[in-house]
Amino acid sequence: MNDLFNSFMSGPDESGRFGIFGGRFVSETLMPLILSLEEEYEKAKTDQSFWDQMDDLWKNYVGRPSPLYHAERLTQHLGGAKIYLKRDELNHTGAHKINNVLGQIILAMRMGKTRIIAETGAGQHGVATATVCAKFGLKCIVYMGAHDVQRQAPNVFRMRLLGAEVIPVTSGRGTLKDAMNDALRDWVTNVRDTFYCIGTVAGPHPYPAMVRDFQSIIGKEAKVQMMEAEGRLPDTLIAAIGGGSNAMGLFFPFLDDKDVNIIGVEAGGKGVNAKMEHCASLTGGRPGVLHGNRTYLLQDDDGQILEGYSISAGLDYPGIGPEHSWLHEVGRAKYVSITDMEALEAFQLSCELEGIIPALEPSHALAHVMKIAPELPADHLICMNMCGRGDKDIFTVAKHLGFDMSDTEGRVAG
Amino acid sequence: MTRIDAKFAELSAAGKKAFVSYIMAGDPDFDTSLAIVKGLPGAGVDIIELGLPFTDPMADGPTIQLAGQRALAAGMTLDRTLELVADFRKSDDTTPIVLMGYYNPVYNQGVDTFLQKARAAGVDGLIIVDLPPEEDSELCLPAQEAGLNFIRLATPTTDDKRLPTVLQNTSGFVYYVSITGITGSAEADSGDVGPEVARIKAQTDLPVIVGFGINTPEKSRAIAGIADGVVVGSAIVALIGEGRPVAEVLDFVRTLSDGAHSI
């Protein structure tokens, strides 16, 4: 680690790499677009008027800062570490996704683009993109795997209400990976007027760094709020990871605070084993190249990409942002996995003890909190990112708990 | 001099344009695919492009995506593709073979191992869609060192400022993508393509071959009239996808190559 010259926050390098991860693995047609986006973003980064506009929208449209909430009953129940939840589920549209979408849409408008495309898994990024496009009067097309269209029906309707065109993707197995392929195909076809608004810290450079920078508002706020509440930094940060944008947003401002433990929680599905019924790219995958970047991927012996599996559509992606791959290899962050069943248990506990219905994605993070908090001392401060609310997931959860939603008596089936 | 360089020298001496065909290796299965490949030179194909099956072909339309899925379902792998090339080489030592695909299967095998095997099998060139010049150190430079051509795509978005970067480490030929889009979608307009080919030729001595959106003998002839050759892929792959007999596929290829060679 000596050649990291004391900082974990200086990446990516000018070729878009975090160590060996990241890069710009796209077709020539897209290359000029990515270079012009990078140029525009570099300009915006040091342009105070850009950040003034972002701050105004974050405050008045999104409702930031999101609270840092001491989860008292959860803390008592687990009987160990003191647990704080960063309440990004209270944002407008119900998740952290909008933090990033606002930044990208403002950039798109600065570049004169009039047509916005996005991919979505759980639908949260799609809803956020449709929302911001409605606000600014931009045309919005969202690619969503046909399988996800089914399991996230409320979000599909939301996007349509917001004026977006939702295109169900049937290629492959119809999940997030396939939606991203089709969004890239759209972009390569409509290069002149279209901006691709990527929802996570993945894709070709500059997306991973740009999305991280926009999401870093989460960690910046958490740092200030924790200082106000406790007079010191948290001991442990925990966040769920699909592509890894909410986690990167929380982690990034703390990377050089060496005493802060950082834990990312991947979706373990039915268990991280040879059957590959999971989405734990770091725990169960190896480095490869997909969707514009080199990163850890679920793949077979021939380098063919495997379809992941998770109860959570938002974590159902066979890759992970390249900066996470790098943090994993240099050991600055630790990555673990949580199964569907553990996440469902955490989901219910949060409802019962804190009156917070969490999305299935942060339920994975919470399940890991449940694992480690009891063993930690009372003065150990955990900060977990509650990155989305669970309204969209109630149908999925009902199904898994054997609850018949059509039964007005609310009886548990069979 | 690779087989590709030799082929262009031969075509140039004869005053002919190149006809390049693309099919997916292993589609619909290894044996049928090998039979088609063996028949291509006889159907007038000057250079054979063989698609490397990949689960996530982001630059391809549905026709080639489905071909890749059929090949993978029938057990095709990168190693099996190289076996197919080696098998073809037993009876043909002159027709150039270019592998076209995506980087991950190659990266997964290891660049050095792959290059060694590809050369031994009789591969002449590579087109790897998701490796732009910015990533030349990954495979482009090692491939050239190993004696393989690395053929670059130039596109309508490659402006004059960027073109030298794209041409810099290209060898064999330049593949001009005639449309912004995926394979097998819009039709190339020969009116747009002519000036673009001229723009590229002003900056390189390499042959410029045009592909994407060429699907009939007439188009093949029209584009061959303004470039050094044409590539047809999806139109042939679509016939294979319909389960047409090998002879019928090759008959269709013959009409396309006749189109290009009638210039």
Side-chain angles (χ1 to χ4, degrees):
Chain A
M1 282 209 262
N2 287 335
D3 54 351
L4 295 170
F5 49 90
N6 303 325
S7 179
F8 290 98
M9 296 172 71
S10 57
D13 64 19
E14 60 184 29
S15 59
R17 303 283 175 106
F18 304 90
I20 66 159
F21 300 104
R24 287 181 282 224
F25 297 89
V26 295
S27 65
E28 173 59 22
T29 310
L30 293 181
M31 205 51 227
L33 280 72
I34 283 162
L35 291 175
S36 83
L37 172 61
E38 185 182 346
E39 198 182 321
E40 191 68 31
Y41 179 55
E42 286 303 318
K43 266 191 260 167
K45 250 162 78 171
T46 52
D47 178 351
Q48 193 50 45
S49 70
F50 174 78
W51 293 107
D52 287 347
Q53 193 179 0
M54 288 294 288
D55 286 339
D56 176 62
L57 288 163
W58 272 335
K59 183 179 171 202
N60 298 306
Y61 192 65
V62 178
R64 301 208 72 91
S66 69
L68 182 72
Y69 164 72
H70 173 212
E72 217 171 334
R73 292 194 67 214
L74 196 62
T75 299
Q76 268 171 17
H77 176 81
L78 296 175
K82 187 169 183 182
I83 300 159
Y84 281 89
L85 303 176
K86 178 63 175 160
R87 302 285 305 275
D88 254 54
E89 101 278 13
L90 294 176
N91 293 339
H92 180 40
T93 72
H96 68 289
K97 292 291 186 186
I98 197 164
N99 301 333
N100 157 52
V101 169
L102 279 170
Q104 289 197 46
I105 299 297
I106 293 172
L107 274 183
M109 290 190 292
R110 287 166 74 116
M111 295 173 81
K113 305 290 184 183
T114 52
R115 183 175 174 272
I116 309 296
I117 57 170
E119 84 294 335
T120 198
Q124 291 303 109
H125 175 60
V127 167
T129 307
T131 298
V132 179
C133 285
K135 176 183 161 44
F136 287 109
L138 298 166
K139 188 173 168 55
C140 178
I141 292 103
V142 179
Y143 289 91
M144 188 168 185
H147 178 60
D148 291 339
V149 167
Q150 279 183 346
R151 64 175 160 171
Q152 301 286 339
N155 272 344
V156 175
F157 185 55
R158 245 174 234 140
M159 286 184 268
R160 288 184 172 146
L161 283 174
L162 292 161
E165 186 186 344
V166 180
I167 303 182
V169 174
T170 51
S171 65
R173 236 181 47 188
T175 59
L176 181 53
K177 156 176 101 75
D178 309 298
M180 200 152 179
N181 288 336
D182 268 19
L184 284 164
R185 290 183 182 114
D186 179 312
W187 201 22
V188 97
T189 307
N190 301 290
V191 292
R192 314 272 172 208
D193 64 344
T194 298
F195 185 97
Y196 182 14
C197 182
I198 295 185
T200 192
V201 285
H205 179 63
Y207 282 98
M210 181 174 71
V211 175
R212 172 201 71 196
D213 292 345
F214 293 145
Q215 291 294 2
S216 290
I217 186 74
I218 300 172
K220 283 179 199 158
E221 287 176 5
K223 214 167 181 176
V224 171
Q225 290 166 322
M226 194 59 99
M227 288 303 290
E228 281 171 4
E230 297 282 347
R232 65 181 182 93
L233 295 180
D235 297 295
T236 299
L237 302 175
I238 299 184
I241 297 188
S245 71
N246 90 81
M248 215 51 243
L250 177 65
F251 298 169
F252 187 69
F254 292 94
L255 289 181
D256 284 342
D257 298 304
K258 304 274 164 65
D259 293 335
V260 178
N261 297 311
I262 297 179
I263 303 174
V265 183
E266 297 192 286
K270 294 176 183 172
V272 182
N273 53 33
K275 281 161 77 185
M276 297 304 272
E277 288 174 307
H278 63 86
C279 292
S281 323
L282 289 176
T283 328
R286 61 180 193 281
V289 173
L290 179 71
H291 293 153
N293 58 167
R294 174 165 26 231
T295 193
Y296 273 73
L297 297 173
L298 302 182
Q299 52 186 321
D300 70 10
D301 292 343
D302 189 44
Q304 305 297 335
I305 309 303
L306 297 171
E307 298 281 351
Y309 162 79
S310 169
I311 188 174
S312 151
L315 304 180
D316 201 345
Y317 181 69
I320 183 170
E323 195 167 6
H324 285 296
S325 291
W326 176 71
L327 291 171
H328 167 68
E329 290 214 339
V330 299
R332 176 61 189 100
K334 180 181 156 191
Y335 295 85
V336 298
S337 70
I338 283 292
T339 65
D340 287 357
M341 294 313 292
E342 291 169 323
L344 278 168
E345 207 182 304
F347 178 98
Q348 294 172 84
L349 195 71
S350 173
C351 293
E352 287 160 15
L353 292 182
E354 295 294 346
I356 296 171
I357 300 179
L360 282 168
E361 292 78 15
S363 296
H364 285 72
L366 187 60
H368 192 67
V369 171
M370 288 163 62
K371 270 190 185 172
I372 64 168
E375 311 302 325
L376 293 166
D379 63 352
H380 188 103
L381 304 177
I382 291 181
C383 174
M384 185 207 113
N385 198 7
M386 182 58 82
C387 63
R389 65 175 183 237
D391 311 36
K392 68 183 175 61
D393 292 317
I394 54 172
F395 297 97
T396 305
V397 173
K399 201 178 114 194
H400 281 270
L401 298 181
F403 195 90
D404 183 357
M405 298 274 276
S406 62
D407 183 341
T408 50
E409 301 285 309
R411 281 181 296 252
V412 173
Chain B
M1 199 184 214
T2 65
R3 290 187 191 89
I4 297 172
D5 301 329
K7 176 59 76 174
F8 279 108
E10 175 200 324
L11 288 167
S12 170
K16 280 174 71 182
K17 298 303 176 79
F19 179 73
V20 183
S21 68
Y22 169 100
I23 65 164
M24 179 66 73
D27 171 33
D29 56 62
F30 186 94
D31 291 342
T32 312
S33 183
L34 178 60
I36 296 171
V37 173
K38 282 182 171 169
L40 290 173
V45 170
D46 298 303
I47 297 173
I48 296 170
E49 271 183 29
L50 264 186
L52 299 171
F54 185 51
T55 39
D56 294 80
M58 289 151 285
D60 287 302
T63 304
I64 290 177
Q65 270 183 68
L66 289 171
Q69 287 174 18
R70 286 192 297 269
L72 290 172
M76 206 57 184
T77 59
L78 184 55
D79 280 339
R80 290 283 281 158
T81 301
L82 296 175
E83 280 170 32
L84 194 149
V85 174
D87 212 325
F88 171 80
R89 278 278 169 256
K90 286 180 195 161
S91 55
D92 185 320
D93 197 37
T94 54
T95 308
I97 292 193
V98 174
L99 299 183
M100 181 168 183
Y102 298 81
Y103 185 38
N104 197 55
V106 172
Y107 177 71
N108 173 67
Q109 178 160 94
V111 165
D112 293 341
T113 308
F114 166 75
L115 288 174
Q116 204 182 339
K117 285 188 190 174
R119 194 165 160 81
V123 171
D124 303 289
L126 303 173
I127 302 175
I128 303 296
V129 181
D130 51 356
L131 284 178
E134 281 73 6
E135 304 292 352
D136 269 357
S137 58
E138 294 282 336
L139 180 63
C140 171
L141 300 178
Q144 315 247 33
E145 263 172 47
L148 295 181
N149 287 129
F150 196 87
I151 295 129
R152 186 91 68 200
L153 304 178
T155 73
T157 59
T158 312
D159 59 18
D160 286 335
K161 197 174 127 223
R162 184 169 166 79
L163 192 52
T165 308
V166 169
L167 294 172
Q168 193 184 8
N169 292 320
T170 303
S171 65
F173 58 91
V174 179
Y175 187 135
Y176 179 67
V177 175
S178 64
I179 53 166
T180 57
I182 49 180
T183 54
S185 50
E187 284 195 20
D189 181 341
S190 48
D192 296 339
V193 174
E196 288 291 294
V197 171
R199 180 169 75 93
I200 296 167
K201 288 189 77 72
Q203 292 202 28
T204 181
D205 293 331
L206 291 171
V208 178
I209 308 298
V210 177
F212 282 46
I214 302 162
N215 48 15
T216 63
E218 294 71 31
K219 277 276 171 205
S220 176
R221 181 185 153 83
I223 299 290
I226 51 177
D228 298 311
V230 299
V231 188
V232 180
S234 294
I236 303 168
V237 172
L239 283 191
I240 299 171
E242 288 168 17
R244 304 291 183 87
V246 173
E248 197 183 327
V249 173
L250 293 174
D251 284 347
F252 177 63
V253 173
R254 168 55 74 184
T255 65
L256 295 164
S257 68
D258 282 349
H261 289 148
S262 64
I263 292 298

